[in-house]
Amino acid sequence: MEVIANLATSLDGKIATAHREFFPLGTQTDWAQMIELRATVDAVIFGAATLRAFRGFCGAPKDSPSQPANVVMSSKLEGFSLQWPFFKEPTRKRILVVTSPITRKAASTFGSKADLVRLKPGPRLAIHLLKELKKRGMKRVLIEGGGSIMWEFARHNLIDEYHVTLTPRILGGAAAPTLVDGDGFNPKKVLNLKLIEARPIGDELYLLYRKTARRGA
């Protein structure tokens, strides 16, 4: 399965403010390219915090022949509401991945609007998720954050391409999420990527990196 990631970051490496509210970093050009990229994948993967902030469906252009499934990784579906636009369109495919026991009420409530997938938490969570999506016939998926979700995939070097928009903003904040959070690598395990493309558009810089097998210095 091919795994790609697409996120916009501030100049200081943040993908959101420390308050984690919905705050689009990029311009309309960045947004348009993100929408087009979604049209090339079978599923868009993101975390519960991203859904709580955005509350909408991460879809492709309206004229696309099909829409990617939205895969939300959560622990207990806490803070979710069926009143959000994310749950409103009946034809959209939604998959909620839970890693902790949830109540029967939550299972019944959200199971009526989405497929519930239960996976064991742990360092191989992303590997198990990709296997589950492959069983459903998916061949190409897109990760849109946040930083903790990115870590689950980056820790095993599962991301084939990194599409990164560097924006001319400074967010600051020690608690603000970065492109990849999590425990981090020791020096010998650091991932090394290969730059494929760099395109300046206005004040933004569009970067495409591809993974390599090289680790460390």
Side-chain angles (χ1 to χ4, degrees), residues 179-199:
L179 186 73
V180 180
D181 288 332
D183 296 332
F185 296 113
N186 65 47
K188 293 182 179 180
K189 293 293 186 179
V190 169
L191 297 184
N192 289 276
L193 307 177
K194 180 178 177 58
L195 180 63
I196 302 300
E197 183 180 3
R199 288 185 296 118

Side-chain angles (χ1 to χ4, degrees), residues 80-147:
F80 289 10
S81 171
L82 292 186
Q83 299 307 310
W84 293 348
F86 176 79
F87 291 103
K88 293 298 185 179
E89 176 55 57
T91 61
R92 301 291 172 89
K93 181 70 173 180
R94 293 170 284 265
I95 301 174
L96 301 179
V97 180
V98 294
T99 56
S100 298
I102 60 176
T103 65
R104 289 184 179 180
K105 181 178 180 181
S108 175
T109 298
F110 295 105
S112 65
K113 297 292 184 178
D115 290 346
L116 295 182
V117 175
R118 294 173 173 82
L119 295 177
K120 292 182 179 180
R124 295 179 62 82
L125 175 60
I127 294 175
H128 295 317
L129 175 57
L130 292 181
K131 287 182 178 179
E132 178 66 31
L133 298 180
K134 188 175 181 180
K135 290 179 183 178
R136 296 167 181 257
M138 298 182 184
K139 299 179 180 179
R140 179 175 161 94
V141 298
L142 169 65
I143 306 171
E144 290 190 0

Side-chain angles (χ1 to χ4, degrees), residues 11-29:
L11 192 60
D12 55 335
K14 313 296 184 180
I15 60 173
T17 68
H19 302 288
R20 298 177 183 255
E21 68 272 75
F22 177 61
F23 177 70
L25 282 173
T27 61
Q28 286 297 318
T29 300

